[in-house]
Amino acid sequence: MALMDFIKKQFIDIIQWTEDSAAAGDAVLAWRFPMRDMEIQNGAQLVVRESQLAVFVNEGQVADLFGPGTHRLTTQTLPLLTNLKHWDKLFESPFKSDVYFFSTRQQIDQRWGTSQPVSIRDKDFGAVRLRAFGNYAYRLQDPKAFHSQISGTRERYTVAELEGQLRGLMLQHISDAVAGSGTPFLDLAANQVEFAAALQAATAPAFQALGLELMSVTMQNVSLPEELQKILDQRIGMGIIGQNMGQFMQYQAAQALPEMAKGVGAGGSGIAGEAVGLGAGVALGQTLAQTLSQGLAGVGTAAPAPAASKPDDIVALLEKLGDLKAKGILTDEEFAAKKADLLKKLG
């Protein structure tokens, strides 16, 4: 019985990979068929499943490549191995050779991202810093190149072992992708599809050199540095107000005055309080000047019309003063004083 077991161990009739050797949750890219104390029979069957490739390697030299299907191993089906072993017409049975299986399934949901901001060149801002995150998918395309460049004679090679190298290739080509896309830095967030396509095109040759095909690249997020985010917010604000710088400055001043007025209402004093008073006075002065200039437009200088002759203008000015008071820009005392002056002009 022991002799029969020994004989069975020596001769291999079927060579196949069921992928049971893959650890749970750890995909295997390359797997070597166990050949210790075993030899291949003449006419043995090689079973290659879908999404697999098989390669015979003789003393470190890659020989014959087999795709999906069932193959009977003879000198006709092993021409390269026959040449390497110097078989004339028939090889002597049994024989030894390393057989490697490779998985060609897509390896999806592979993550890439910048752990630290990456410096890139931009035509608007010169050198800027970028954070980006996304996914990519690839598959093994050329087992001979992968065997010679990556996996070698190891018993198996997993996706996890290759992850760091591939992520580094993705990050290495971010600058090339930005330059190739032609997209301004501040527009990257709105053009993620174009940027992802440019990153795939820039990185694909590096994957191909390893025997891999980069199938797809997606971008989930582009983070702008804080200082550039502020510039972007200002540009958005400018677009909303129609690129009118005067209106933009007035808008910023109007946003600042209520906050300063709150400090005065809460008992603030000193420079902040004086600034609010000065701002209110300036705003009131501008409003009065604009109203008076409109009222005097078209009237000769020899006989100017008195302000009291324009009651509608006075009423409009009172309404504006009321708005300033409601927003906290004018105090009750300031409003009452200006209101009394205007009412005198009506009389």
Side-chain angles (χ1 to χ4, degrees):
M1 188 68 180
L3 178 61
M4 293 299 297
D5 292 339
F6 174 75
I7 293 175
K8 288 180 180 180
K9 288 182 180 179
Q10 292 299 306
F11 305 106
I12 302 171
D13 292 326
I14 298 178
I15 302 174
Q16 62 180 339
W17 180 32
T18 60
E19 302 196 32
D20 293 336
S21 58
D26 190 9
V28 175
L29 290 172
W31 178 76
R32 186 182 65 197
F33 186 85
M35 296 293 296
R36 183 178 181 181
D37 298 328
M38 295 184 181
E39 293 183 342
I40 301 172
Q41 285 269 45
N42 181 13
Q45 288 187 337
L46 172 68
V47 180
V48 183
R49 291 172 170 78
E50 289 294 331
S51 72
Q52 290 182 359
L53 293 172
V55 172
F56 278 77
V57 179
N58 181 67
E59 297 179 357
Q61 290 184 283
V62 178
D64 301 281
L65 171 66
F66 293 87
T70 300
H71 310 274
R72 186 171 179 268
L73 302 179
T74 65
T75 54
Q76 287 75 29
T77 58
L78 292 168
L80 297 179
L81 189 62
T82 297
N83 182 61
L84 291 174
K85 287 185 173 293
H86 304 289
W87 293 324
D88 294 329
K89 295 181 179 179
L90 294 174
F91 57 78
E92 296 180 0
S93 179
F95 72 97
K96 291 185 70 68
S97 176
D98 291 325
V99 183
Y100 293 87
F101 286 86
F102 299 87
S103 173
T104 60
R105 289 181 294 137
Q106 280 200 48
Q107 306 300 328
I108 61 174
D109 196 25
Q110 304 299 306
R111 308 296 178 89
W112 66 271
T114 56
S115 57
Q116 298 294 331
V118 177
S119 296
I120 64 171
R121 291 187 176 276
D122 182 75
K123 61 182 180 180
D124 293 333
F125 300 100
V128 295
R129 292 176 294 112
L130 166 72
R131 284 183 180 271
F133 304 90
N135 302 68
Y136 66 96
Y138 71 93
R139 71 180 186 91
L140 194 150
Q141 182 184 43
D142 186 349
K144 292 184 179 181
F146 187 82
H147 173 78
S148 60
Q149 298 290 331
I150 302 297
S151 59
T153 60
R154 296 180 55 176
E155 179 181 350
R156 70 174 190 166
Y157 200 93
T158 66
V159 171
E161 291 175 288
L162 192 59
E163 182 180 359
Q165 173 69 17
L166 298 184
R167 186 189 301 114
L169 290 177
M170 298 292 293
L171 299 182
Q172 181 180 345
H173 290 85
I174 285 182
S175 297
D176 297 334
V178 173
S181 68
T183 304
F185 180 73
L186 290 180
D187 295 335
L188 284 179
N191 296 274
Q192 295 186 11
V193 174
E194 290 81 358
F195 179 79
L199 182 57
Q200 181 177 356
T203 314
F207 274 64
Q208 188 175 5
L210 302 178
L212 306 174
E213 180 182 7
L214 183 57
M215 304 296 294
S216 64
V217 176
T218 61
M219 177 172 291
Q220 296 179 345
N221 178 264
V222 177
S223 300
L224 305 178
E226 183 178 355
E227 60 272 16
L228 289 182
Q229 185 63 56
K230 292 179 180 179
I231 295 175
L232 178 61
D233 293 340
Q234 289 181 349
R235 286 194 174 185
I236 293 174
M238 290 294 293
I240 294 175
I241 65 175
Q243 304 297 327
N244 188 309
M245 181 59 74
Q247 293 181 9
F248 182 62
M249 297 303 295
Q250 292 175 6
Y251 169 78
Q252 286 188 320
Q255 292 294 313
L257 284 174
E259 295 298 325
M260 297 174 67
K262 289 180 181 178
V264 176
S269 59
I271 296 177
E274 293 174 1
V276 174
L278 179 60
V282 170
L284 178 61
Q286 290 176 343
T287 304
L288 288 172
Q290 181 180 4
T291 303
L292 291 176
S293 64
Q294 292 175 352
L296 294 175
V299 181
T301 57
S309 65
K310 297 287 185 176
D312 291 340
D313 293 340
I314 301 299
V315 172
L317 186 54
L318 286 171
E319 291 177 352
K320 292 181 179 180
L321 291 173
D323 291 339
L324 292 174
K325 175 178 174 294
K327 293 179 180 180
I329 297 176
L330 290 179
T331 64
D332 292 340
E333 293 77 7
E334 290 173 333
F335 175 75
K338 296 299 180 182
K339 178 180 177 180
D341 292 340
L342 294 173
L343 290 178
K344 288 180 182 178
K345 295 179 181 180
L346 284 176

